Amino acid sequence: RNAFHLPSVWGNLGGDRYQAGHLDLAERVFRRGPRFNPVELRLYSGWVQTLLDLGRLEEARGEIRNLSKIFPGHDAVFWLELQLAEREGDTQTLEALEGRLGKRKILKPELMGWLAGRWTASGRHEEAGRLLDRHLDYFHAYPRFWIARGDHARACGDSGEAERNYRRARELERGP
């Protein structure tokens, strides 16, 4: 047996193609991998993310429905639902997702950034600040989190704090 029977190999190959900007190739790799293995959410969600980025929204919608049955309530599925609604301009779904997201512990930095940004843009600065503070311990190592904190500080008129947060994000992106 070779390594290609392992779902993680397909996920890594697809992820590499995706990161390099080869979306068509990434989609084929993700699709060929054993994406229904429940321990490989990364493989399946990577495939659906690629479908979204290719503009294949109907196909992505069906797969998001499947994912939500296999992984109910998972942040990765929530993130895909959110992106689909944004791409379609579905404000009603976005508002519903915002309401659901604001009531739970967030485990994906992209979701944190999205919700904090949405609240900040709509003038809900205090709520956004509390949300960011509440998740600081969990997301302290994620550049996207510090960018969200910087955006929030800038929107609140604190350019010094914004710069400190952006600097922290750059440090984390560079690594040790």
Side-chain angles (χ1 to χ4, degrees), residues 41 45 64 67-68 71-85 93-104 106 108 111-112 114-115:
L41 172 63
S45 63
I64 291 169
L67 266 172
S68 66
F71 303 101
H74 196 286
D75 274 5
V77 179
F78 203 96
W79 178 243
L80 294 167
E81 290 175 337
L82 180 93
Q83 289 183 78
L84 178 64
T93 298
L94 286 171
E95 288 172 10
L97 290 169
E98 177 185 339
R100 284 177 32 213
L101 186 58
K103 296 176 184 154
R104 58 186 272 189
I106 300 170
K108 188 168 180 63
L111 287 174
M112 171 63 61
W114 178 83
L115 185 59

mmCIF file of all heavy atoms in Angstrom, residues 41 45 64 67-68 71-85 93-104 106 108 111-112 114-115:
data_model
loop_
_atom_site.group_PDB
_atom_site.id
_atom_site.type_symbol
_atom_site.label_atom_id
_atom_site.label_comp_id
_atom_site.label_asym_id
_atom_site.label_seq_id
_atom_site.Cartn_x
_atom_site.Cartn_y
_atom_site.Cartn_z
ATOM 1 N N LEU A 41 -12.212 16.308 8.189
ATOM 2 C CA LEU A 41 -12.975 17.516 7.900
ATOM 3 C C LEU A 41 -12.155 18.468 7.040
ATOM 4 O O LEU A 41 -12.680 19.115 6.136
ATOM 5 C CB LEU A 41 -13.402 18.195 9.193
ATOM 6 C CG LEU A 41 -14.039 19.566 9.068
ATOM 7 C CD1 LEU A 41 -15.343 19.485 8.281
ATOM 8 C CD2 LEU A 41 -14.277 20.166 10.428
ATOM 9 N N SER A 45 -13.737 20.073 3.792
ATOM 10 C CA SER A 45 -13.980 21.519 3.794
ATOM 11 C C SER A 45 -13.041 22.229 2.812
ATOM 12 O O SER A 45 -13.415 23.238 2.224
ATOM 13 C CB SER A 45 -13.858 22.092 5.198
ATOM 14 O OG SER A 45 -12.562 21.935 5.711
ATOM 15 N N ILE A 64 -22.122 21.835 1.426
ATOM 16 C CA ILE A 64 -22.215 22.437 2.762
ATOM 17 C C ILE A 64 -23.353 21.784 3.538
ATOM 18 O O ILE A 64 -23.223 21.507 4.738
ATOM 19 C CB ILE A 64 -22.391 23.969 2.667
ATOM 20 C CG1 ILE A 64 -21.093 24.601 2.151
ATOM 21 C CG2 ILE A 64 -22.790 24.563 4.011
ATOM 22 C CD1 ILE A 64 -21.217 26.069 1.766
ATOM 23 N N LEU A 67 -21.985 18.523 4.693
ATOM 24 C CA LEU A 67 -21.033 18.746 5.783
ATOM 25 C C LEU A 67 -21.746 19.062 7.094
ATOM 26 O O LEU A 67 -21.329 18.596 8.160
ATOM 27 C CB LEU A 67 -20.104 19.909 5.440
ATOM 28 C CG LEU A 67 -18.781 19.581 4.797
ATOM 29 C CD1 LEU A 67 -18.080 20.856 4.346
ATOM 30 C CD2 LEU A 67 -17.881 18.804 5.719
ATOM 31 N N SER A 68 -22.806 19.861 7.023
ATOM 32 C CA SER A 68 -23.503 20.236 8.253
ATOM 33 C C SER A 68 -24.202 19.038 8.891
ATOM 34 O O SER A 68 -24.432 19.033 10.100
ATOM 35 C CB SER A 68 -24.481 21.381 8.007
ATOM 36 O OG SER A 68 -25.515 20.964 7.164
ATOM 37 N N PHE A 71 -20.887 17.079 10.336
ATOM 38 C CA PHE A 71 -20.190 17.855 11.373
ATOM 39 C C PHE A 71 -21.089 18.974 11.883
ATOM 40 O O PHE A 71 -20.776 20.155 11.707
ATOM 41 C CB PHE A 71 -18.904 18.463 10.801
ATOM 42 C CG PHE A 71 -17.953 17.464 10.211
ATOM 43 C CD1 PHE A 71 -17.891 17.285 8.836
ATOM 44 C CD2 PHE A 71 -17.127 16.705 11.015
ATOM 45 C CE1 PHE A 71 -17.016 16.372 8.281
ATOM 46 C CE2 PHE A 71 -16.246 15.790 10.471
ATOM 47 C CZ PHE A 71 -16.191 15.613 9.101
ATOM 48 N N PRO A 72 -22.222 18.658 12.513
ATOM 49 C CA PRO A 72 -23.142 19.717 12.940
ATOM 50 C C PRO A 72 -22.492 20.673 13.941
ATOM 51 O O PRO A 72 -21.815 20.248 14.866
ATOM 52 C CB PRO A 72 -24.302 18.944 13.585
ATOM 53 C CG PRO A 72 -23.761 17.599 13.909
ATOM 54 C CD PRO A 72 -22.633 17.333 12.955
ATOM 55 N N GLY A 73 -22.667 21.963 13.667
ATOM 56 C CA GLY A 73 -22.174 22.993 14.577
ATOM 57 C C GLY A 73 -20.690 23.256 14.519
ATOM 58 O O GLY A 73 -20.186 24.077 15.283
ATOM 59 N N HIS A 74 -19.965 22.606 13.628
ATOM 60 C CA HIS A 74 -18.514 22.809 13.563
ATOM 61 C C HIS A 74 -18.200 24.171 12.938
ATOM 62 O O HIS A 74 -18.828 24.596 11.979
ATOM 63 C CB HIS A 74 -17.865 21.694 12.749
ATOM 64 C CG HIS A 74 -16.394 21.599 12.953
ATOM 65 N ND1 HIS A 74 -15.511 22.506 12.414
ATOM 66 C CD2 HIS A 74 -15.654 20.728 13.667
ATOM 67 C CE1 HIS A 74 -14.291 22.183 12.766
ATOM 68 N NE2 HIS A 74 -14.341 21.103 13.533
ATOM 69 N N ASP A 75 -17.191 24.851 13.487
ATOM 70 C CA ASP A 75 -16.822 26.179 13.002
ATOM 71 C C ASP A 75 -16.419 26.175 11.526
ATOM 72 O O ASP A 75 -16.662 27.147 10.808
ATOM 73 C CB ASP A 75 -15.671 26.756 13.825
ATOM 74 C CG ASP A 75 -16.148 27.468 15.078
ATOM 75 O OD1 ASP A 75 -17.355 27.442 15.364
ATOM 76 O OD2 ASP A 75 -15.300 28.058 15.765
ATOM 77 N N ALA A 76 -15.783 25.110 11.060
ATOM 78 C CA ALA A 76 -15.371 25.053 9.647
ATOM 79 C C ALA A 76 -16.597 25.081 8.736
ATOM 80 O O ALA A 76 -16.597 25.735 7.690
ATOM 81 C CB ALA A 76 -14.537 23.811 9.379
ATOM 82 N N VAL A 77 -17.654 24.396 9.133
ATOM 83 C CA VAL A 77 -18.895 24.388 8.351
ATOM 84 C C VAL A 77 -19.555 25.759 8.428
ATOM 85 O O VAL A 77 -20.040 26.291 7.419
ATOM 86 C CB VAL A 77 -19.852 23.275 8.844
ATOM 87 C CG1 VAL A 77 -21.149 23.288 8.055
ATOM 88 C CG2 VAL A 77 -19.168 21.907 8.757
ATOM 89 N N PHE A 78 -19.558 26.331 9.617
ATOM 90 C CA PHE A 78 -20.119 27.666 9.816
ATOM 91 C C PHE A 78 -19.425 28.669 8.895
ATOM 92 O O PHE A 78 -20.058 29.513 8.269
ATOM 93 C CB PHE A 78 -19.932 28.061 11.284
ATOM 94 C CG PHE A 78 -20.880 29.085 11.776
ATOM 95 C CD1 PHE A 78 -22.029 28.725 12.451
ATOM 96 C CD2 PHE A 78 -20.622 30.428 11.577
ATOM 97 C CE1 PHE A 78 -22.907 29.692 12.917
ATOM 98 C CE2 PHE A 78 -21.491 31.399 12.043
ATOM 99 C CZ PHE A 78 -22.633 31.024 12.713
ATOM 100 N N TRP A 79 -18.090 28.580 8.806
ATOM 101 C CA TRP A 79 -17.305 29.479 7.966
ATOM 102 C C TRP A 79 -17.701 29.326 6.498
ATOM 103 O O TRP A 79 -17.833 30.313 5.773
ATOM 104 C CB TRP A 79 -15.820 29.202 8.176
ATOM 105 C CG TRP A 79 -14.900 30.024 7.337
ATOM 106 C CD1 TRP A 79 -14.035 29.557 6.398
ATOM 107 C CD2 TRP A 79 -14.737 31.441 7.347
ATOM 108 N NE1 TRP A 79 -13.343 30.607 5.826
ATOM 109 C CE2 TRP A 79 -13.751 31.770 6.394
ATOM 110 C CE3 TRP A 79 -15.329 32.471 8.073
ATOM 111 C CZ2 TRP A 79 -13.352 33.077 6.150
ATOM 112 C CZ3 TRP A 79 -14.919 33.770 7.821
ATOM 113 C CH2 TRP A 79 -13.950 34.069 6.877
ATOM 114 N N LEU A 80 -17.912 28.110 6.048
ATOM 115 C CA LEU A 80 -18.320 27.878 4.658
ATOM 116 C C LEU A 80 -19.722 28.434 4.399
ATOM 117 O O LEU A 80 -19.977 29.040 3.357
ATOM 118 C CB LEU A 80 -18.257 26.386 4.326
ATOM 119 C CG LEU A 80 -16.847 25.781 4.330
ATOM 120 C CD1 LEU A 80 -16.929 24.256 4.303
ATOM 121 C CD2 LEU A 80 -16.010 26.311 3.177
ATOM 122 N N GLU A 81 -20.638 28.243 5.348
ATOM 123 C CA GLU A 81 -21.996 28.794 5.215
ATOM 124 C C GLU A 81 -21.941 30.314 5.090
ATOM 125 O O GLU A 81 -22.632 30.918 4.275
ATOM 126 C CB GLU A 81 -22.849 28.428 6.436
ATOM 127 C CG GLU A 81 -23.221 26.982 6.541
ATOM 128 C CD GLU A 81 -23.958 26.669 7.835
ATOM 129 O OE1 GLU A 81 -23.819 27.414 8.843
ATOM 130 O OE2 GLU A 81 -24.691 25.671 7.839
ATOM 131 N N LEU A 82 -21.109 30.908 5.917
ATOM 132 C CA LEU A 82 -20.953 32.355 5.928
ATOM 133 C C LEU A 82 -20.421 32.859 4.587
ATOM 134 O O LEU A 82 -20.935 33.823 4.017
ATOM 135 C CB LEU A 82 -19.993 32.738 7.049
ATOM 136 C CG LEU A 82 -19.716 34.202 7.221
ATOM 137 C CD1 LEU A 82 -20.685 34.755 8.245
ATOM 138 C CD2 LEU A 82 -18.305 34.400 7.684
ATOM 139 N N GLN A 83 -19.401 32.206 4.070
ATOM 140 C CA GLN A 83 -18.823 32.626 2.793
ATOM 141 C C GLN A 83 -19.822 32.487 1.654
ATOM 142 O O GLN A 83 -19.898 33.353 0.777
ATOM 143 C CB GLN A 83 -17.578 31.801 2.485
ATOM 144 C CG GLN A 83 -16.421 32.135 3.378
ATOM 145 C CD GLN A 83 -15.215 31.347 2.975
ATOM 146 O OE1 GLN A 83 -14.567 31.697 1.997
ATOM 147 N NE2 GLN A 83 -14.935 30.286 3.699
ATOM 148 N N LEU A 84 -20.602 31.412 1.662
ATOM 149 C CA LEU A 84 -21.617 31.226 0.629
ATOM 150 C C LEU A 84 -22.638 32.359 0.690
ATOM 151 O O LEU A 84 -22.970 32.968 -0.340
ATOM 152 C CB LEU A 84 -22.311 29.870 0.781
ATOM 153 C CG LEU A 84 -23.435 29.578 -0.207
ATOM 154 C CD1 LEU A 84 -22.906 29.509 -1.641
ATOM 155 C CD2 LEU A 84 -24.135 28.275 0.166
ATOM 156 N N ALA A 85 -23.113 32.671 1.889
ATOM 157 C CA ALA A 85 -24.098 33.749 2.044
ATOM 158 C C ALA A 85 -23.515 35.091 1.596
ATOM 159 O O ALA A 85 -24.208 35.889 0.948
ATOM 160 C CB ALA A 85 -24.574 33.822 3.496
ATOM 161 N N THR A 93 -29.548 35.547 5.650
ATOM 162 C CA THR A 93 -28.745 34.442 6.185
ATOM 163 C C THR A 93 -27.556 34.975 6.964
ATOM 164 O O THR A 93 -27.210 34.445 8.021
ATOM 165 C CB THR A 93 -28.280 33.505 5.047
ATOM 166 O OG1 THR A 93 -29.436 32.946 4.425
ATOM 167 C CG2 THR A 93 -27.393 32.393 5.561
ATOM 168 N N LEU A 94 -26.920 36.043 6.477
ATOM 169 C CA LEU A 94 -25.788 36.634 7.192
ATOM 170 C C LEU A 94 -26.202 37.108 8.578
ATOM 171 O O LEU A 94 -25.486 36.896 9.554
ATOM 172 C CB LEU A 94 -25.180 37.784 6.390
ATOM 173 C CG LEU A 94 -24.367 37.385 5.170
ATOM 174 C CD1 LEU A 94 -24.005 38.619 4.348
ATOM 175 C CD2 LEU A 94 -23.125 36.618 5.563
ATOM 176 N N GLU A 95 -27.366 37.733 8.675
ATOM 177 C CA GLU A 95 -27.855 38.199 9.979
ATOM 178 C C GLU A 95 -28.142 37.018 10.901
ATOM 179 O O GLU A 95 -27.836 37.069 12.097
ATOM 180 C CB GLU A 95 -29.082 39.075 9.801
ATOM 181 C CG GLU A 95 -28.748 40.433 9.212
ATOM 182 C CD GLU A 95 -29.969 41.248 8.839
ATOM 183 O OE1 GLU A 95 -31.101 40.863 9.205
ATOM 184 O OE2 GLU A 95 -29.784 42.281 8.177
ATOM 185 N N ALA A 96 -28.726 35.955 10.355
ATOM 186 C CA ALA A 96 -29.002 34.764 11.163
ATOM 187 C C ALA A 96 -27.694 34.127 11.646
ATOM 188 O O ALA A 96 -27.578 33.730 12.811
ATOM 189 C CB ALA A 96 -29.827 33.762 10.365
ATOM 190 N N LEU A 97 -26.709 34.040 10.759
ATOM 191 C CA LEU A 97 -25.419 33.473 11.138
ATOM 192 C C LEU A 97 -24.738 34.347 12.188
ATOM 193 O O LEU A 97 -24.148 33.837 13.150
ATOM 194 C CB LEU A 97 -24.518 33.322 9.908
ATOM 195 C CG LEU A 97 -24.932 32.244 8.905
ATOM 196 C CD1 LEU A 97 -24.127 32.377 7.620
ATOM 197 C CD2 LEU A 97 -24.774 30.861 9.499
ATOM 198 N N GLU A 98 -24.832 35.656 12.024
ATOM 199 C CA GLU A 98 -24.253 36.574 13.005
ATOM 200 C C GLU A 98 -24.881 36.345 14.380
ATOM 201 O O GLU A 98 -24.177 36.285 15.391
ATOM 202 C CB GLU A 98 -24.482 38.018 12.570
ATOM 203 C CG GLU A 98 -23.983 39.044 13.549
ATOM 204 C CD GLU A 98 -24.343 40.459 13.150
ATOM 205 O OE1 GLU A 98 -24.624 40.721 11.969
ATOM 206 O OE2 GLU A 98 -24.333 41.325 14.039
ATOM 207 N N GLY A 99 -26.199 36.191 14.422
ATOM 208 C CA GLY A 99 -26.887 35.952 15.688
ATOM 209 C C GLY A 99 -26.453 34.646 16.339
ATOM 210 O O GLY A 99 -26.196 34.596 17.548
ATOM 211 N N ARG A 100 -26.342 33.601 15.539
ATOM 212 C CA ARG A 100 -25.898 32.301 16.072
ATOM 213 C C ARG A 100 -24.453 32.361 16.545
ATOM 214 O O ARG A 100 -24.107 31.822 17.586
ATOM 215 C CB ARG A 100 -26.033 31.209 15.004
ATOM 216 C CG ARG A 100 -27.446 30.741 14.787
ATOM 217 C CD ARG A 100 -27.615 29.709 13.683
ATOM 218 N NE ARG A 100 -26.524 28.807 13.464
ATOM 219 C CZ ARG A 100 -26.196 28.319 12.264
ATOM 220 N NH1 ARG A 100 -26.877 28.658 11.188
ATOM 221 N NH2 ARG A 100 -25.188 27.477 12.137
ATOM 222 N N LEU A 101 -23.618 33.041 15.792
ATOM 223 C CA LEU A 101 -22.193 33.105 16.097
ATOM 224 C C LEU A 101 -21.922 33.924 17.358
ATOM 225 O O LEU A 101 -21.061 33.572 18.161
ATOM 226 C CB LEU A 101 -21.435 33.697 14.910
ATOM 227 C CG LEU A 101 -19.925 33.710 14.978
ATOM 228 C CD1 LEU A 101 -19.378 32.302 15.163
ATOM 229 C CD2 LEU A 101 -19.357 34.323 13.710
ATOM 230 N N GLY A 102 -22.679 34.994 17.551
ATOM 231 C CA GLY A 102 -22.465 35.858 18.703
ATOM 232 C C GLY A 102 -22.780 35.203 20.030
ATOM 233 O O GLY A 102 -22.385 35.702 21.079
ATOM 234 N N LYS A 103 -23.459 34.060 20.010
ATOM 235 C CA LYS A 103 -23.878 33.392 21.239
ATOM 236 C C LYS A 103 -22.997 32.202 21.605
ATOM 237 O O LYS A 103 -23.319 31.472 22.527
ATOM 238 C CB LYS A 103 -25.315 32.907 21.082
ATOM 239 C CG LYS A 103 -26.302 34.026 20.913
ATOM 240 C CD LYS A 103 -27.687 33.505 20.660
ATOM 241 C CE LYS A 103 -28.608 34.671 20.399
ATOM 242 N NZ LYS A 103 -29.740 34.348 19.594
ATOM 243 N N ARG A 104 -21.923 31.965 20.887
ATOM 244 C CA ARG A 104 -21.136 30.761 21.137
ATOM 245 C C ARG A 104 -19.651 31.076 21.240
ATOM 246 O O ARG A 104 -19.204 32.142 20.850
ATOM 247 C CB ARG A 104 -21.387 29.754 20.033
ATOM 248 C CG ARG A 104 -21.049 30.299 18.665
ATOM 249 C CD ARG A 104 -21.428 29.371 17.558
ATOM 250 N NE ARG A 104 -20.333 28.451 17.319
ATOM 251 C CZ ARG A 104 -20.291 27.636 16.307
ATOM 252 N NH1 ARG A 104 -21.283 27.563 15.478
ATOM 253 N NH2 ARG A 104 -19.277 26.843 16.129
ATOM 254 N N ILE A 106 -16.136 30.830 19.869
ATOM 255 C CA ILE A 106 -15.655 30.738 18.491
ATOM 256 C C ILE A 106 -14.297 30.052 18.506
ATOM 257 O O ILE A 106 -13.414 30.415 19.271
ATOM 258 C CB ILE A 106 -15.573 32.134 17.856
ATOM 259 C CG1 ILE A 106 -16.966 32.776 17.858
ATOM 260 C CG2 ILE A 106 -15.002 32.048 16.451
ATOM 261 C CD1 ILE A 106 -16.968 34.237 17.472
ATOM 262 N N LYS A 108 -12.547 29.333 15.436
ATOM 263 C CA LYS A 108 -11.877 29.537 14.151
ATOM 264 C C LYS A 108 -11.554 31.025 14.017
ATOM 265 O O LYS A 108 -12.444 31.862 14.063
ATOM 266 C CB LYS A 108 -12.802 29.063 13.028
ATOM 267 C CG LYS A 108 -12.154 29.037 11.660
ATOM 268 C CD LYS A 108 -13.044 28.279 10.678
ATOM 269 C CE LYS A 108 -12.462 28.230 9.310
ATOM 270 N NZ LYS A 108 -11.213 27.530 9.186
ATOM 271 N N LEU A 111 -13.638 33.289 11.722
ATOM 272 C CA LEU A 111 -14.978 33.642 12.216
ATOM 273 C C LEU A 111 -14.902 34.794 13.209
ATOM 274 O O LEU A 111 -15.733 35.698 13.190
ATOM 275 C CB LEU A 111 -15.639 32.434 12.883
ATOM 276 C CG LEU A 111 -16.131 31.341 11.967
ATOM 277 C CD1 LEU A 111 -16.629 30.154 12.779
ATOM 278 C CD2 LEU A 111 -17.229 31.845 11.055
ATOM 279 N N MET A 112 -13.906 34.728 14.074
ATOM 280 C CA MET A 112 -13.718 35.808 15.043
ATOM 281 C C MET A 112 -13.501 37.131 14.318
ATOM 282 O O MET A 112 -14.122 38.145 14.641
ATOM 283 C CB MET A 112 -12.510 35.492 15.925
ATOM 284 C CG MET A 112 -12.093 36.620 16.823
ATOM 285 S SD MET A 112 -13.339 37.082 18.008
ATOM 286 C CE MET A 112 -13.469 35.545 18.876
ATOM 287 N N TRP A 114 -14.333 37.958 11.290
ATOM 288 C CA TRP A 114 -15.528 38.366 10.551
ATOM 289 C C TRP A 114 -16.536 39.017 11.491
ATOM 290 O O TRP A 114 -17.044 40.101 11.209
ATOM 291 C CB TRP A 114 -16.168 37.163 9.846
ATOM 292 C CG TRP A 114 -17.412 37.532 9.117
ATOM 293 C CD1 TRP A 114 -17.496 38.065 7.864
ATOM 294 C CD2 TRP A 114 -18.754 37.432 9.593
ATOM 295 N NE1 TRP A 114 -18.806 38.298 7.531
ATOM 296 C CE2 TRP A 114 -19.605 37.918 8.575
ATOM 297 C CE3 TRP A 114 -19.330 36.985 10.773
ATOM 298 C CZ2 TRP A 114 -20.986 37.950 8.713
ATOM 299 C CZ3 TRP A 114 -20.710 37.017 10.911
ATOM 300 C CH2 TRP A 114 -21.516 37.508 9.877
ATOM 301 N N LEU A 115 -16.834 38.360 12.609
ATOM 302 C CA LEU A 115 -17.852 38.884 13.522
ATOM 303 C C LEU A 115 -17.402 40.197 14.161
ATOM 304 O O LEU A 115 -18.172 41.161 14.215
ATOM 305 C CB LEU A 115 -18.197 37.858 14.600
ATOM 306 C CG LEU A 115 -19.339 38.245 15.533
ATOM 307 C CD1 LEU A 115 -20.630 38.491 14.743
ATOM 308 C CD2 LEU A 115 -19.558 37.170 16.586
#
